[in-house]
């Protein structure tokens, strides 16, 4: 066995107990050596170098002392000249000898000794092996010329009155000033701009030239005119300014030669200085200079960090940011790594922006550039991603690094970050406000399929407007649409509000209805004082508290409103007529909205154990008085609230056949088991009990589980929703979840087809002929183009092709640039589109931020650009709740007790309600829903010449004849033009003037022939397109049944009315936007019985298909 103790080395002497008692006697045997570092800095030369050169503060003091000595020597020279009596005679000895008093000589000798000693010492310390390099330096030579004669005069008294050109010390003072500025920058760790340094050098050079010329001429003219210093100054200024009066001129040849030499020096030195100054000025114009520290401490500013600054992005930011009155005094500092664009430079030169916007070329990853932007003093920092790059993930990575750099440099600066990909959100979770582009984009596209024009609704809500757009237009719909577009979301504390203070202690629905009835404001949500979560329409059981923060939709905020009291009698009369006015409309239904479908029920009630609910008015009473609407209760009565248990679809099962019930058993409600990315909000939705095999997800290929190869073979009962995208990214999660939300009945779940490529064959296989909606997502590969606005070219042309092939298909398109929306469903000869184009230009000239809003595709919600939501991030600087409210509206976030956005459709049986205020009351009293707007579609059921607008004279001639026919029957038929909004008065007059030209009968004959030929051409074009599609379908083995090639929507227009006035009349086919209370918030604790937990829907006219 090995002896382990023999292998263990003994302890060092310092650790032995014996040595601790007897003393460390064995320390001398230790072989360790103590090492001292940086011994080279302990030498005398290194210590002097550390004090005079290396140390920043001591070096600065030495430079300052040297600068003061040089100025003192120049001052002593001026004093010597002023004290000297001008000598008589023109002898050359006056040039070499001067009168110098003994005290003055002593001061000059002292200054010379100190200066020479310092110069020699600094030369010794900076010596690097070449002695001639130190000796031949111009500062050293000047120092020898000015100091050595004084030192020699100490030992040789006869030389005390020898002339020494001490005025040349001004150049040494200039040299010391430059070194002093460099040391100053090192000492305070703050870099002044190169422009400041160059200007200082130029000024000092000019002063040295003038001072040298003054002293030289004054001394050389001692044998001439004997000029004093003032006359010499006058002569130099006149000469260098090229004025040359000639009243003072040098007489001696020496002084003339000196003037020539100084002019030559000036012609060489000054242009070089001016050239450097001009170069620095141009570079500063490119880089933007610095933001003043004094301004940063006295004024407020925000910083905008972007990868590349485009004119559209800049104007959107400036228009939205400065639209708020409280931000008028803010400065905007733009930090961008690229050089300023020509268009951007032109805009920033406008006086309105040049005084408030500062452009800095620099990177957010450099602390120096962040210091130039005074990021630590900024009120906020906006970091925007570059969406025009092909690799959007790389763009997100750059944004993340910028956010990290700003957070590291200025931890207290609020961050407003825009990110593109949802999977990158968790990297910037620390930011105060984050907008993920793909999340909002897909959520809006999904809701557009459920609630039409949701994208337009959200866009109008997040844009700042006064509602003055379209007010100069002759079209009534444009006036209403433009006025309602000025509605925005505002907030106020309930106890401080005139709108809502009287509703303290009352239910939310009561406060919302009566505030709209009295003030025209729409209360949509609240937030408790001790809670950060915003609740949209918490329902009638929510009781308003004095400290609640109310969120409402209105044209302007309450603080900017004035209130006028009306006569109480007038109020009572209006109230009576509002509720009990006569009506000649038949009434036999109430509205019971479920999810996004409006179902007309003849006998609908929700039976519960607590008591009966709102029932229909009796049939006998409709001939005596109009049916009344139940009042909105101040405090909710559980017996009067129609709630349905959405967790169990028993209400659907009872009205379904047995085979449909068995097919629905495979669905369940719950949270998705997997999240595609970190940070996604869990949403309660419809799920399958079993996971579908991946092979079954291919619609166009059969597998071992099914043999279907096209959408028609699957036999879907509901229409399809087709999504045309480039890749199946994580953002699609936010498209699918709203369409599978728990509050949507199972019978309304539309199949979703993802189309990664869209040739005609694939479109036909995926069921485009019977699809409800087709969503075209902007492709990332087309976002980078040589011309920015051409990024949408491929998408626009493809959608136009779809529009021509499948005119009845509802296509929802996303574009990169909002300006390209005018090309959607483009018609070159549509005079109404031309009129809208002129209206857009006029609105843009008036300074509107929503000039594109009157484009028919945007107003109808068929096209939108995600860049329009950039204003959401900008607006959150003033309204920090806007991102949260928008996410709740789009279903991106789900908060217990918060409502959701849905819609219902007005049918003929619902027109008895008549006005928006009565509809508001009906919804609040029955289901607790809060309406926020109307989506209105106006259609024309006239002749082809009226329903299809073109610039052909033949169509307008038919219109003219029909107009004459209507004028002869005014008593029986109304010809009000407001009933037909697509007819344009000016275009009609223009067409009629053209129709009057030429012989009457000959013109009519030619017009009929032309009309027939045009109709023939149209029919042939449509038939050609239809034959193309049908032949392709037959070739693929698809059925052509259901393909409608003649259905055209050219005669309809749609628009949104956000928070319309209470007296707005509702019309047929209006879609009402609702914020519905959370059904899960009203579920009873105990399990109800089968019959009492559902709303029984009985009646022969019950509609089960989707109305939207």
């Amino acid at each position: 066995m090995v002896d382990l103790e023999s292998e263990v080395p003994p302890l060092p002497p310092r650790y032995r107990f014996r040595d601790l008692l007897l003393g460390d006697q064995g320390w001398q045997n230790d072989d360790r050596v103590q090492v001292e570092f940086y011994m080279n800095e302990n030498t005398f030369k290194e210590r002097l170098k550390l004090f005079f050169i290396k140390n920043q503060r001591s070096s600065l003091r030495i430079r300052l002392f040297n600068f003061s000595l040089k100025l003192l020597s120049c001052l002593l020279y001026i004093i010597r000249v002023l004290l000297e009596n001008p000598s008589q005679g023109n002898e050359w000895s006056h040039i070499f000898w001067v009168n110098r008093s003994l005290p003055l000589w002593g001061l000059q000798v002292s200054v010379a000794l100190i200066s020479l000693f310092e110069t020699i010492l600094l030369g010794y310390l900076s010596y690097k092996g070449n002695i001639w390099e130190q000796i031949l330096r111009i500062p050293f030579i000047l120092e020898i010329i000015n100091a050595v004669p004084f030192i020699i005069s100490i030992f040789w008294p006869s030389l005390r009155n020898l002339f020494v050109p001490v005025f040349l010390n001004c150049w040494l003072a200039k040299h010391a000033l430059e070194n002093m500025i460099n040391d100053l920058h090192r000492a305070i760790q703050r870099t002044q701009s190169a422009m400041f340094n160059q200007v200082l050098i130029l000024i000092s050079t000019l002063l040295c030239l003038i001072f040298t010329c003054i002293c030289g001429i004054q001394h050389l003219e001692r044998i001439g005119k004997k000029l004093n210093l003032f006359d010499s100054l006058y002569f130099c200024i006149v000469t260098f300014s090229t004025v040359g009066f000639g009243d003072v001129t040098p007489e001696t040849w020496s002084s003339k030669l000196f003037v020539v030499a100084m002019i030559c020096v000036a012609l060489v030195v000054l242009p070089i200085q001016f050239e450097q100054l001009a170069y620095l000025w141009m570079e500063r114009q490119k880089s933007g200079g610095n933001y003043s520290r004094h301004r940063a401490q006295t004024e407020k500013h925000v910083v905008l960090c972007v990868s590349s600054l485009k004119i559209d992005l800049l104007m959107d930011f400036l228009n939205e940011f400065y639209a708020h009155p409280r931000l008028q005094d803010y400065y905007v500092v733009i930090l961008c790594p690229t050089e300023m664009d020509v268009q951007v430079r032109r805009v920033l030169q406008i006086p309105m922006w040049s005084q408030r916007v500062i452009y800095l070329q620099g990177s957010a990853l450099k602390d120096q550039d962040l210091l130039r932007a005074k990021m630590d003093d900024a009120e906020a920092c906006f970091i925007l991603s570059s969406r025009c790059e092909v690799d959007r993930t790389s763009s997100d990575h750059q944004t993340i690094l910028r956010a990290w750099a700003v957070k590291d440099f200025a931890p207290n600066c609020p961050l407003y970050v825009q990110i593109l990909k949802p999977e990158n959100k968790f990297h910037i979770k620390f930011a105060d406000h984050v907008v993920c582009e793909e999340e909002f984009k897909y959520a809006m596209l999904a809701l557009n399929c459920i609630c039409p024009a949701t994208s337009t609704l959200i866009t109008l809500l997040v844009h700042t407007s006064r509602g003055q757009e379209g007010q100069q237009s002759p079209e009534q719909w444009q006036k209403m649409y433009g006025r309602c577009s000025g509605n925005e979301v505002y907030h106020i504390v309930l106890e401080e509000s005139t709108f809502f203070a009287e509703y303290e202690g009352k239910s939310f629905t009561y406060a919302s209805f009566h505030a709209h009835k009295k003030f025209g404001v729409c209360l949509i949500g609240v937030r408790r004082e001790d809670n950060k979560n915003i609740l949209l329409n918490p329902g009638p059981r929510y009781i308003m508290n004095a400290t609640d923060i109310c969120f409402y939709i209105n044209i302007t905020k309450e603080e900017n409103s004035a209130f006028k009291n009306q006569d109480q009698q007038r109020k009572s009369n209006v109230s009576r007529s509002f509720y009990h006015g006569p009506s000649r409309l038949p009434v036999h239904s109430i509205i019971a909205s479920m999810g996004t479908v409006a179902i007309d029920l003849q006998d609908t009630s929700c039976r519960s154990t607590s008591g009966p609910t709102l029932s229909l008015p009796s049939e006998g009473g409709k001939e005596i008085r109009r049916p009344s609407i139940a009042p909105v209760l101040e405090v909710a009565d559980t017996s009067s609230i129609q709630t349905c248990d959405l967790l169990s679809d028993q209400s659907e099962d009872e009205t379904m056949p047995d085979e449909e019930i068995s097919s629905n058993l495979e669905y369940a409600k719950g949270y998705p088991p997997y999240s595609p990315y970190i940070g996604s909000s869990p949403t309660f939705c419809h799920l399958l009990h079993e996971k579908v095999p991946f092979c079954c997800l291919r619609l166009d290929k059969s597998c071992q589980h099914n043999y279907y190869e096209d959408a028609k073979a699957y036999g879907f009962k509901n229409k399809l929703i087709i999504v045309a995208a480039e890749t199946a990214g994580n953002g699609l999660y936010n498209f699918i979840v709203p369409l599978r939300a728990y509050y949507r009945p199972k019978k309304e779940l539309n199949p979703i087809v993802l189309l990664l490529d869209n040739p005609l064959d694939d479109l036909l296989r995926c069921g485009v002929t019977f699809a409800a909606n087709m969503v075209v997502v902007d492709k990332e590969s087309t976002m980078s183009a040589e011309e920015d606005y051409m990024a949408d070219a491929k998408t626009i042309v493809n959608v136009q092709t779809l529009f021509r092939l499948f005119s009845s298909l509802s296509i929802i398109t996303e574009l990169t640039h909002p300006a390209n929306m005018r090309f959607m469903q483009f018609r070159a000869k549509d005079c109404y589109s031309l009129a809208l184009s002129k209206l857009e230009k006029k609105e843009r000239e008036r300074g509107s931020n929503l000039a594109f809003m009157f484009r028919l595709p945007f107003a109808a919600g068929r096209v939108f650009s995600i860049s329009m939501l950039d204003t959401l991030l900008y607006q959150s600087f003033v309204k920090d709740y806007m991102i949260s409210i928008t996410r709740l509206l789009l279903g991106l976030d789900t908060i217990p007790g918060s409502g959701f956005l849905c819609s219902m459709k007005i049918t003929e049986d619902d027109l008895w309600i008549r006005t928006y205020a009565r509809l508001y009351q009906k919804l609040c009293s029955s289901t607790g829903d809060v309406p926020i707007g109307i989506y209105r579609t106006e259609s024309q059921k006239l002749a082809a010449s009226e329903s299809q607008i073109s610039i052909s004279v033949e169509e307008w001639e038919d219109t003219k004849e029909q107009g004459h026919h209507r004028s002869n029957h005014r008593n029986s038929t109304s010809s009000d033009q407001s009933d037909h909004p697509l007819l344009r008065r000016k275009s009609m007059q223009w067409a009629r003037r053209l129709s009057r030209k030429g012989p009457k009968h000959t013109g009519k004959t030619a017009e009929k022939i032309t009309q027939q030929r045009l109709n023939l051409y149209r029919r042939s074009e449509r038939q050609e397109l239809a034959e193309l599609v049908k032949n392709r379908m037959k070739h693929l083995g698809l059925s052509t049944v259901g393909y409608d090639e003649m259905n055209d929507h050219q005669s309809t227009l749609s628009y949104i009315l956000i928070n319309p006035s209470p007296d707005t009349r509702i019309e047929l086919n209006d879609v009402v936007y609702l914020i519905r209370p959370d059904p899960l918030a009203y579920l009873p604790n105990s399990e109800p019985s089968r019959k009492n937990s559902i709303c029984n829907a009985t009646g022969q006219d019950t509609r089960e298909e989707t109305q939207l």
Side-chain angles (χ1 to χ4, degrees):
M1 185 174 180
V2 181
D3 189 4
L4 296 178
E5 293 183 358
S6 61
E7 296 183 0
V8 178
L11 290 173
R14 59 185 296 185
Y15 297 110
R16 295 173 184 171
F17 183 74
R18 175 177 58 83
D19 295 334
L20 292 177
L21 294 178
L22 303 178
D24 195 3
Q25 300 176 356
W27 176 253
Q28 60 273 15
N29 298 326
D30 194 356
D31 57 350
R32 290 179 301 173
V33 178
Q34 183 179 1
V35 181
E36 296 185 4
F37 303 99
Y38 302 106
M39 288 300 297
N40 61 320
E41 296 182 357
N42 294 332
T43 62
F44 179 73
K45 181 179 179 180
E46 289 298 328
R47 293 190 179 187
L48 288 177
K49 187 182 294 187
L50 179 65
F51 180 78
F52 282 92
I53 299 177
K54 294 183 179 180
N55 187 274
Q56 299 171 358
R57 297 189 179 276
S58 61
S59 176
L60 176 61
R61 297 188 186 101
I62 296 299
R63 306 288 186 186
L64 182 60
F65 177 73
N66 189 21
F67 176 73
S68 303
L69 280 180
K70 303 308 177 186
L71 291 182
L72 178 60
S73 64
C74 294
L75 181 62
L76 292 177
Y77 178 85
I78 295 175
I79 294 174
R80 196 271 304 167
V81 173
L82 294 176
L83 294 178
E84 185 181 17
N85 293 324
S87 58
Q88 300 296 329
N90 296 328
E91 299 178 359
W92 281 95
S93 60
H94 295 163
I95 299 297
F96 298 102
W97 301 96
V98 295
N99 296 326
R100 185 180 292 117
S101 62
L102 185 60
L104 184 61
W105 173 80
L107 289 175
Q108 287 183 326
V109 169
S110 302
V111 171
L113 283 172
I114 298 173
S115 299
L116 183 61
F117 175 75
E118 181 185 4
T119 302
I120 295 175
L121 180 61
L122 291 177
Y124 167 72
L125 295 178
S126 59
Y127 172 69
K128 297 180 180 179
N130 191 351
I131 187 64
W132 293 106
E133 182 181 356
Q134 300 293 328
I135 294 176
L136 297 179
R137 290 173 60 246
I138 294 180
F140 185 81
I141 295 175
L142 290 178
E143 193 69 49
I144 296 297
I145 293 174
N146 292 326
V148 171
F150 286 107
I151 298 174
I152 295 175
S153 65
I154 298 176
F155 306 100
W156 198 349
S158 60
L159 297 178
R160 292 179 181 177
N161 291 328
L162 180 66
F163 171 73
V164 180
V166 183
F167 57 84
L168 295 179
N169 277 331
C170 64
W171 297 98
L172 296 177
K174 171 182 171 293
H175 181 69
L177 179 63
E178 296 176 5
N179 294 333
M180 184 177 63
I181 293 176
N182 295 332
D183 290 335
L184 178 64
H185 294 169
R186 289 194 307 161
I188 63 178
Q189 296 294 323
R190 186 180 302 170
T191 304
Q192 298 290 342
S193 65
M195 177 65 64
F196 171 78
N197 295 343
Q198 190 62 37
V199 169
L200 187 61
I201 293 174
L202 176 63
I203 294 175
S204 60
T205 303
L206 188 60
L207 290 177
C208 289
L209 280 173
I210 294 176
F211 184 73
T212 304
C213 187
I214 292 172
C215 296
I217 291 177
Q218 185 276 332
H219 181 71
L220 293 175
E221 283 297 320
R222 286 164 58 97
I223 60 175
K225 289 186 177 181
K226 296 180 176 55
L227 300 177
N228 55 26
L229 289 177
F230 181 77
D231 292 337
S232 300
L233 174 63
Y234 171 76
F235 170 76
C236 292
I237 297 300
V238 170
T239 302
F240 279 102
S241 63
T242 67
V243 176
F245 289 118
D247 52 345
V248 178
T249 57
E251 289 186 354
T252 62
W253 65 270
S254 59
S255 59
K256 293 179 181 178
L257 183 61
F258 181 77
V259 170
V260 172
M262 293 304 299
I263 291 176
C264 292
V265 172
L267 291 178
V268 173
V269 174
L270 291 182
I272 295 176
Q273 300 292 334
F274 279 112
E275 181 185 3
Q276 294 179 358
L277 184 63
Y279 174 77
L280 291 174
W281 174 260
M282 295 176 62
E283 290 297 321
R284 181 176 181 178
Q285 289 296 104
K286 295 179 181 179
S287 62
N290 297 331
Y291 185 68
S292 170
R293 171 67 62 176
H294 174 73
R295 180 182 293 178
Q297 293 176 352
T298 56
E299 304 289 346
K300 295 181 179 180
H301 76 285
V302 298
V303 181
L304 175 64
C305 295
V306 291
S307 297
S308 60
L309 187 63
K310 302 297 182 181
I311 186 63
D312 293 337
L313 185 146
L314 175 64
M315 295 312 301
D316 288 343
F317 179 83
L318 295 180
N319 290 331
E320 181 63 34
F321 186 81
Y322 285 112
H324 302 276
R326 55 170 285 197
L327 302 181
Q328 296 302 313
D329 296 332
Y330 277 65
Y331 287 89
V332 174
V333 179
I334 303 173
L335 187 61
C336 181
T338 60
E339 187 176 342
M340 193 186 308
D341 195 319
V342 176
Q343 293 180 333
V344 173
R345 186 187 302 277
R346 188 181 301 116
V347 169
L348 295 185
Q349 289 176 350
I350 299 175
M352 181 174 60
W353 306 123
S354 62
Q355 303 299 326
R356 297 188 287 184
V357 182
I358 301 172
Y359 185 93
L360 303 181
Q361 182 179 352
S363 173
L365 272 64
K366 295 182 179 180
D367 288 352
Q368 293 180 353
D369 293 332
L370 294 178
L371 184 63
R372 289 170 54 206
K374 305 302 182 291
M375 186 68 73
D376 50 343
D377 295 325
E379 299 295 322
C381 178
F382 296 89
I383 303 178
L384 306 184
S385 297
S386 177
R387 63 168 58 91
C388 296
E389 294 187 7
V390 178
D391 190 357
R392 295 164 70 86
T393 303
S394 175
S395 179
D396 276 350
H397 294 168
Q398 299 175 17
T399 302
I400 293 169
L401 286 182
R402 290 191 182 97
W404 289 354
V406 173
K407 195 65 176 179
D408 178 71
F409 182 84
N412 298 325
C413 180
L415 280 180
Y416 297 76
V417 184
Q418 178 194 69
I419 207 77
L420 302 179
K421 293 284 189 178
E423 56 266 25
N424 296 321
K425 265 189 9 175
F426 76 99
H427 291 295
I428 52 173
K429 191 177 180 180
F430 56 84
D432 299 83
H433 299 277
V434 179
V435 172
C436 181
E437 181 177 293
E438 283 199 3
E439 277 189 340
F440 284 87
K441 175 178 70 176
Y442 281 107
M444 285 198 301
L445 290 173
L447 284 181
N448 268 4
C449 302
I450 304 174
C451 308
T454 302
S455 58
T456 303
L457 172 69
I458 299 298
T459 301
L460 296 179
L461 280 178
V462 301
H463 273 78
T464 302
S465 171
R466 291 178 173 266
Q468 299 176 353
E469 288 81 5
Q471 299 308 304
Q472 306 297 329
S473 173
E475 295 293 332
Q476 185 63 29
W477 77 269
Q478 293 175 358
K479 291 183 179 179
M480 294 178 59
Y481 175 49
R483 184 171 58 253
C484 293
S485 68
N487 284 278
E488 299 177 45
V489 181
Y490 299 99
H491 74 290
I492 194 171
V493 180
L494 186 138
E495 60 184 356
E496 301 174 358
S497 170
T498 306
F499 290 157
F500 313 111
E502 59 183 297
Y503 307 120
E504 180 184 354
K506 298 180 174 132
S507 66
F508 176 86
T509 51
Y510 181 88
S512 180
F513 165 69
H514 284 277
H516 184 270
K517 171 189 170 185
K518 187 175 181 179
F519 300 103
V521 300
C522 179
L523 178 64
I524 61 171
V526 292
R527 183 176 65 193
R528 294 291 191 193
E529 184 183 18
D530 56 347
N531 196 343
K532 295 182 180 180
N533 294 329
I534 299 175
L535 302 180
L536 295 182
N537 186 14
R541 298 185 183 182
Y542 184 92
I543 304 302
M544 308 292 290
N545 291 336
T547 58
D548 285 351
I549 300 177
C550 302
F551 300 94
Y552 61 95
I553 298 177
N554 197 20
I555 292 291
T556 183
K557 59 182 180 180
E558 181 181 329
E559 293 83 352
N560 298 337
S561 305
F563 302 94
K564 298 180 181 180
N565 294 325
Q566 299 181 355
D567 184 70
Q568 298 295 330
Q569 182 66 27
R570 182 181 175 186
K571 285 186 179 181
S572 62
N573 293 338
V574 173
S575 178
R576 286 196 297 269
S577 64
F578 185 80
Y579 291 105
H580 307 291
S583 175
R584 293 173 295 177
L585 299 176
V587 180
H588 49 269
S589 70
I590 66 172
I591 299 176
S593 181
M594 181 71 146
T596 58
V597 178
I599 307 175
D600 295 337
L601 305 177
Q602 289 186 351
D603 185 12
T604 303
S605 61
C606 188
R607 302 179 179 89
S608 61
T609 57
S610 57
T613 60
L614 178 65
S615 60
L616 281 171
S618 60
E619 293 291 332
K622 69 178 181 179
E623 298 179 357
I624 301 175
R625 56 185 292 274
R626 184 178 47 144
S628 61
I629 300 176
V632 183
L633 301 180
E634 295 185 6
V635 180
D637 183 7
T638 56
S639 63
S640 62
I641 302 176
Q642 297 182 6
T643 61
C644 297
D645 188 359
L646 295 179
L647 289 179
S648 60
D649 282 306
Q650 297 175 0
S651 57
E652 300 175 15
D653 297 343
E654 289 186 354
T655 58
M656 289 183 179
D658 294 338
E659 60 272 10
E660 294 187 10
I661 296 176
S662 61
S663 63
N664 279 335
L665 292 178
E666 59 182 349
Y667 292 100
K669 291 183 179 179
Y671 292 98
Y674 304 105
S675 177
Y677 57 89
I678 300 175
S680 60
S681 179
T683 304
F684 203 64
C685 56
H686 294 280
L687 302 175
L688 293 175
H689 289 291
E690 297 181 359
K691 185 178 179 180
V692 177
F694 182 76
C695 58
C696 297
L697 296 179
R698 291 295 301 268
L699 183 68
D700 56 340
K701 290 186 179 181
S702 61
C703 63
Q704 58 181 354
H705 305 94
N706 62 69
Y707 302 96
Y708 305 139
E709 294 185 354
D710 60 85
K712 191 73 174 180
Y714 281 83
F716 295 123
K717 297 180 180 179
N718 294 335
K719 291 188 175 182
L720 302 174
I721 295 178
I722 303 175
V723 184
E726 188 175 30
T727 57
N730 293 328
L732 279 173
Y733 173 81
N734 299 290
F735 182 88
I736 299 174
V737 166
L739 298 177
R740 296 292 182 263
Y742 71 96
Y743 47 80
R744 298 205 69 213
K746 295 175 183 177
K747 59 185 178 182
E748 299 171 16
L749 300 181
N750 301 90
I752 303 173
V753 178
L754 177 60
L755 185 62
L756 299 182
D757 197 6
N758 54 355
L760 181 59
D761 293 354
D762 292 340
L763 283 172
L764 296 175
R765 286 194 184 96
C766 70
V768 70
T769 56
F770 55 92
N773 299 95
M774 182 169 181
V775 177
V776 180
V777 182
D778 195 14
K779 295 178 173 55
E780 298 179 10
S781 60
T782 63
M783 290 183 179
S784 179
E786 295 182 359
E787 186 178 350
D788 292 336
Y789 291 94
M790 285 296 177
D792 296 320
K794 184 177 180 180
T795 302
I796 292 174
V797 175
N798 289 342
V799 172
Q800 183 73 4
T801 304
L802 292 175
F803 174 69
R804 298 295 298 274
L805 293 177
F806 311 100
S807 57
S808 61
L809 179 62
S810 176
I811 306 175
I812 305 169
T813 311
E814 181 217 354
L815 298 178
T816 301
H817 299 283
N820 291 331
M821 290 191 299
R822 63 184 187 273
F823 301 122
M824 300 305 300
Q825 302 179 6
F826 184 75
R827 303 181 185 93
K829 295 185 178 181
D830 190 350
C831 64
Y832 190 43
S833 297
L834 297 177
L836 291 178
S837 177
K838 294 180 180 179
L839 177 62
E840 179 179 350
K841 295 176 182 176
K842 291 181 180 179
E843 293 297 334
R844 187 177 290 109
E845 292 175 356
R846 295 189 183 103
S848 171
N849 300 337
L850 298 168
F852 53 81
M853 62 177 291
F854 294 104
R855 292 289 183 176
L856 294 183
F858 173 76
R862 298 189 182 98
V863 62
F864 84 102
S865 174
I866 193 61
S867 62
M868 296 185 297
L869 275 188
D870 290 345
T871 57
L872 175 63
L873 191 65
Y874 313 152
Q875 202 175 82
S876 61
F877 179 67
V878 177
K879 305 174 183 178
D880 57 353
Y881 49 83
M882 277 307 300
I883 295 179
S884 300
I885 289 180
T886 306
R887 292 182 65 88
L888 289 173
L889 287 175
L890 296 178
L892 292 173
D893 290 338
T894 54
I895 298 176
S898 179
F900 55 90
L901 179 66
C902 60
S903 64
M904 56 169 285
K905 194 170 186 178
I906 301 297
T907 61
E908 293 182 356
D909 297 334
D910 306 321
L911 294 178
W912 64 274
I913 301 179
R914 298 203 308 174
T915 63
Y916 185 75
R918 289 173 57 82
L919 177 64
Y920 208 118
Q921 182 185 4
K922 178 69 176 176
L923 293 171
C924 289
S925 62
S926 58
T927 59
D929 300 341
V930 173
I932 61 173
I934 295 176
Y935 176 75
R936 179 160 294 175
T937 301
E938 297 181 357
S939 60
Q940 293 214 353
K941 300 178 182 179
L942 304 175
S945 59
E946 295 184 2
S947 63
Q948 201 170 28
I949 299 178
S950 64
I951 311 182
S952 60
V953 180
E954 301 79 27
E955 293 179 344
W956 292 115
E957 180 62 28
D958 294 340
T959 306
K960 174 183 174 183
E961 294 178 0
Q962 293 180 7
H964 285 299
H965 178 72
R966 290 195 302 269
S967 63
N968 295 332
H969 302 278
R970 289 182 179 176
N971 296 331
S972 59
T973 305
S974 174
S975 61
D976 188 5
Q977 192 176 2
S978 63
D979 294 337
H980 315 299
L982 289 181
L983 297 181
R984 298 296 164 266
R985 188 181 297 107
K986 294 183 179 180
S987 300
M988 289 285 293
Q989 293 175 357
W990 172 76
R992 289 169 182 170
R993 285 198 299 269
L994 289 179
S995 65
R996 295 192 186 102
K997 297 181 180 180
K1000 184 174 182 181
H1001 299 286
T1002 306
K1004 284 187 176 181
T1005 304
E1007 288 167 2
K1008 289 181 180 179
I1009 295 174
T1010 305
Q1011 180 68 32
Q1012 293 176 358
R1013 184 179 301 170
L1014 186 60
N1015 292 337
L1016 212 73
Y1017 167 74
R1018 288 176 178 171
R1019 284 197 298 269
S1020 63
E1021 181 183 358
R1022 291 180 179 178
Q1023 287 178 355
E1024 182 179 359
L1025 294 175
E1027 290 297 326
L1028 172 65
V1029 176
K1030 288 184 177 181
N1031 290 337
R1032 199 61 198 164
M1033 294 177 70
K1034 292 178 181 178
H1035 176 75
L1036 298 174
L1038 303 176
S1039 174
T1040 60
V1041 178
Y1043 176 66
D1044 185 9
E1045 69 274 14
M1046 300 300 293
N1047 191 5
D1048 201 342
H1049 297 287
Q1050 295 183 10
S1051 60
T1052 63
L1053 64 87
S1054 303
Y1055 55 93
I1056 288 178
L1057 301 178
I1058 302 176
N1059 187 29
S1061 60
D1063 57 349
T1064 302
R1065 298 187 66 87
I1066 60 174
E1067 298 180 1
L1068 182 64
N1069 296 326
D1070 279 353
V1071 177
V1072 182
Y1073 297 102
L1074 307 173
I1075 299 181
R1076 175 154 300 160
D1078 184 10
L1080 300 180
Y1082 302 137
L1083 292 178
N1085 295 330
S1086 60
E1087 181 67 19
S1089 63
R1090 176 181 176 88
K1091 293 184 179 181
N1092 293 335
S1093 63
I1094 62 173
C1095 289
N1096 296 325
T1098 59
Q1100 298 178 355
D1101 297 335
T1102 301
R1103 299 182 181 180
E1104 296 180 359
E1105 68 274 7
T1106 302
Q1107 298 289 333
L1108 304 181

